[in-house]
Amino acid sequence: MFAAQTGEAVEYGRLLAPVDGFAAAVDAFRAEGGGGLNVTLPFKPEAFAYARRHTPRAAAAGAVNTLAFDGNDVLGDNTDGPGLVADIERRIGLPLAGARLLLLGAGGAARGVVLPLLEAGVARLAIANRTAATAIALREELALRLGPAHAARLSAGGLDCAEAGFDLVVNATAAGLSDAAPAMPAVAWRGPRLALDMVYGARPTAFMRAALEAGCPRVEDGLGMLVGQAAESFALWRGVRPEAAPVLAALRARLAAAA
Ligand code: ATR
């Protein structure tokens, strides 16, 4: 859809790589003249290892969702964060500068978005995870890598450390994959104007339903972030920035029709 919109001649398809054969699958794709790849779970850390160079946001995330090939050069980027930032600020219309953000989860999905959220100017970013130690370790790792100015706005703990006073909550846990919502204390729902789940589907996710029940005025799923990260990847490969909105509308209609 982006190619049709921008008039770029792009052939885009799907490759299924064996779980133990990521690098070989990418080598074969490049040998056939492949110019770039979107990479999804579980291969984002392997795509990071495959890249010879990384953008700062990919280096901070330690995970790559976009590869761009140019001869022997392999650039690894992570566009999940900019996709999320663009969706929140441009489509949803909530400015991140000065916002207090509660990020649920400390796995790959969470680590991918921390630096872009900090760079967007959030006043505070709290990582709350079911296993507190994982969130604390992620914070320590990121604090070392990102330096004191970023680290000062970053905190971490268990889900029970989520208190009142956040402006928005982003769910980056895998709980939604089993139609569950992370067990967040009720008090943390006092304040947030937006609850965004990185998971998406035809119907509201368990996290979105929990947010609505708790009185959160606006809930969103992760389809906008998906289209946003794809738009960033397209811009990296082609040097042209496509419009996310019509593609999001088309995908939303497709999801609804399939439900
Ligand atoms: P991803 O790459 O999608 O982030 P992951 O690295 O396996 O996947 O991380 C999954 C995240 O979802 C973790 O933060 C996990 O919490 P734990 O560190 O405690 O395992 C979180 N998670 C998964 N199921 C959950 C549930 N039912 N409730 C709350 N958090 C959950």
Side-chain angles (χ1 to χ4, degrees):
M1 283 188 254
F2 288 151
Q5 190 194 98
T6 56
E8 293 284 304
V10 174
E11 226 179 275
Y12 188 84
R14 275 193 285 187
L15 283 178
L16 181 65
V19 134
D20 57 355
F22 175 76
V26 178
D27 285 345
F29 175 69
R30 286 172 66 198
E32 288 163 17
L37 285 171
N38 286 123
V39 182
T40 190
L41 298 173
F43 294 123
K44 291 181 187 184
E46 281 176 77
F48 180 87
Y50 190 93
R52 305 229 166 111
R53 295 189 295 129
H54 301 95
T55 59
R57 60 200 182 198
V64 155
N65 77 339
T66 306
L67 289 168
F69 311 123
D70 184 9
N72 280 333
D73 185 38
V74 180
L75 176 65
D77 194 3
N78 192 318
T79 63
D80 286 331
L84 175 66
V85 167
D87 193 49
I88 293 174
E89 293 202 308
R90 285 194 227 137
R91 185 180 67 83
I92 299 172
L94 197 144
L96 284 168
R100 293 159 301 179
L101 191 147
L102 176 61
L103 181 64
L104 305 176
R111 76 163 50 229
V113 300
V114 170
L115 178 60
L117 288 169
L118 288 169
E119 286 181 335
V122 294
R124 178 163 179 223
L125 203 169
I127 305 171
N129 193 44
R130 181 175 60 182
T131 311
T134 312
I136 292 163
L138 175 62
R139 187 206 169 269
E140 274 167 19
E141 179 196 326
L142 290 170
L144 276 179
R145 217 178 285 162
L146 304 179
H150 283 323
R153 290 178 286 146
L154 200 55
S155 62
L159 287 174
D160 56 345
C161 80
E163 76 267 31
F166 288 98
D167 302 306
L168 68 153
V169 188
V170 172
N171 180 27
T173 73
L177 300 178
S178 44
D179 199 34
M184 198 172 98
V187 68
W189 286 116
R190 279 192 215 145
R193 286 169 283 150
L194 169 69
L196 187 149
D197 199 340
M198 288 193 186
V199 173
Y200 59 87
R203 286 180 306 280
T205 65
F207 172 73
M208 291 162 72
R209 296 196 304 271
L212 285 171
E213 274 164 31
C216 185
R218 182 155 185 188
V219 298
E220 294 283 346
D221 72 4
L223 197 63
M225 174 182 171
L226 175 80
V227 176
Q229 62 81 30
E232 289 287 334
S233 298
F234 191 91
L236 180 79
W237 296 320
R238 312 299 300 179
V240 186
R241 190 164 296 275
E243 282 292 325
V247 175
L248 177 58
L251 290 186
R252 186 68 74 194
R254 226 184 254 184
L255 266 183

